[in-house]
Amino acid sequence: MAKKAALRPRNAATLIILDRSKKTPKVLMGRRHASLAFMPGKFVFPGGRIEPGDRHMPVAGALSARASDALAAQVPRASHGLGRALALAAIRETYEETGLMLGTREYGPPESAPEGVWQLFREAGIMPDLEALHLVARAITPPNRPRRFDTRFFAVDRRAVAGEAPGVVTADSELVEIVWVTFAEARALDLPRITSLVLADVEAQVAGNLAPYLPIPFYYERRGKGQREVL
């Protein structure tokens, strides 16, 4: 029998929201619905894959040069707007899964917005602000999984939350629970392996105040063995 070809990973992005207002930082995590095919019942950071509208939503600020360079690294034929679309996907998915709108009201609403969720940002007078995002990791789901993603992990401070829609997290939604937890508390949750790895990386980067020169790890599998490179 011929070996089944591995699924091609889809571009996706995740947002790690950090509350650094107290001495001990906290991070937002959500528990996935038990019926989902991918990581059922696990605690994860909100996120998902790029949608067409993410390529056209106006923004208030751009990603840093360091983030843009790292997002383009080891990506064959990377499109010019890939990093921007990934960052916007992380913001949109976070809203869809948690009700939190990341951005700024300082510039007023965008003059236009793609149909769907981005129209809600426009109605709320919120512009996504990519300048507030820090790229902290990248990971590709190993082969032979029901879903495969090439995921970029962004971190952002809780102060970047400009609005919130109630009632998004329910017993029937993708995330059935969201919690603010310390890094120590997060490690005690039921986490996917990659989430545990990235959590440790983010904790170290928070200790370094998310400085742009800190290493950005890239996780993937080669010949059945996990690899960790630095972008």
Side-chain angles (χ1 to χ4, degrees):
M1 182 180 294
K3 186 177 180 181
K4 187 177 180 181
L7 290 173
R8 183 177 179 180
R10 295 184 176 185
N11 284 317
T14 286
L15 198 57
I16 303 168
I17 307 178
L18 301 164
D19 185 345
R20 296 181 287 171
S21 61
K22 301 291 194 301
K23 183 178 180 180
T24 303
K26 291 189 174 184
V27 60
L28 182 71
M29 305 202 73
R31 183 162 59 90
R32 289 174 60 79
H33 199 287
S35 67
L36 295 173
F38 190 68
M39 298 182 178
K42 299 285 187 179
F43 276 89
V44 298
F45 308 117
R49 67 189 186 189
I50 294 174
E51 292 188 356
D54 301 334
R55 301 185 184 276
H56 306 290
M57 180 64 183
V59 297
L63 290 167
S64 69
R66 169 74 172 109
S68 296
D69 290 345
L71 285 162
Q74 300 195 41
V75 180
R77 300 180 300 279
S79 66
H80 176 70
L82 176 62
R84 183 181 186 278
L86 285 163
L88 283 164
I91 292 172
R92 175 188 48 75
E93 286 281 346
T94 295
Y95 171 74
E96 291 181 350
E97 296 179 4
T98 69
L100 299 178
M101 286 184 171
L102 277 294
T104 178
R105 297 180 186 270
E106 290 184 12
Y107 307 100
E111 292 184 3
S112 62
E115 291 300 317
V117 167
W118 291 122
Q119 285 291 332
L120 300 178
F121 276 71
R122 183 169 182 264
E123 292 168 10
I126 295 172
M127 288 268 282
D129 184 5
L130 306 192
E131 190 174 350
L133 272 59
H134 304 265
L135 180 67
V136 292
R138 176 185 175 189
I140 298 179
T141 311
N144 305 317
R145 302 294 169 88
R147 304 283 191 276
R148 293 194 73 207
F149 299 100
D150 186 345
T151 303
R152 283 67 164 196
F153 295 78
F154 294 92
V156 67
D157 196 272
R158 187 175 185 172
R159 292 173 297 178
V161 176
E164 182 174 0
V168 172
V169 178
T170 70
D172 299 317
S173 56
E174 184 172 340
L175 295 183
V176 298
E177 174 188 7
I178 57 173
V179 292
W180 288 98
V181 289
T182 65
F183 285 101
E185 291 167 340
R187 285 192 290 272
L189 299 174
D190 185 8
L191 306 176
R193 179 175 178 273
I194 188 58
T195 304
S196 296
L197 292 172
V198 172
L199 191 71
D201 290 317
V202 173
E203 184 174 18
Q205 295 193 30
V206 168
N209 201 30
L210 297 173
Y213 55 78
L214 293 172
I216 299 173
F218 173 25
Y219 297 97
Y220 61 96
E221 188 175 289
R222 178 182 290 163
R223 299 186 185 92
K225 294 185 177 180
Q227 309 289 323
R228 183 186 189 275
E229 294 185 10
V230 173
L231 296 174

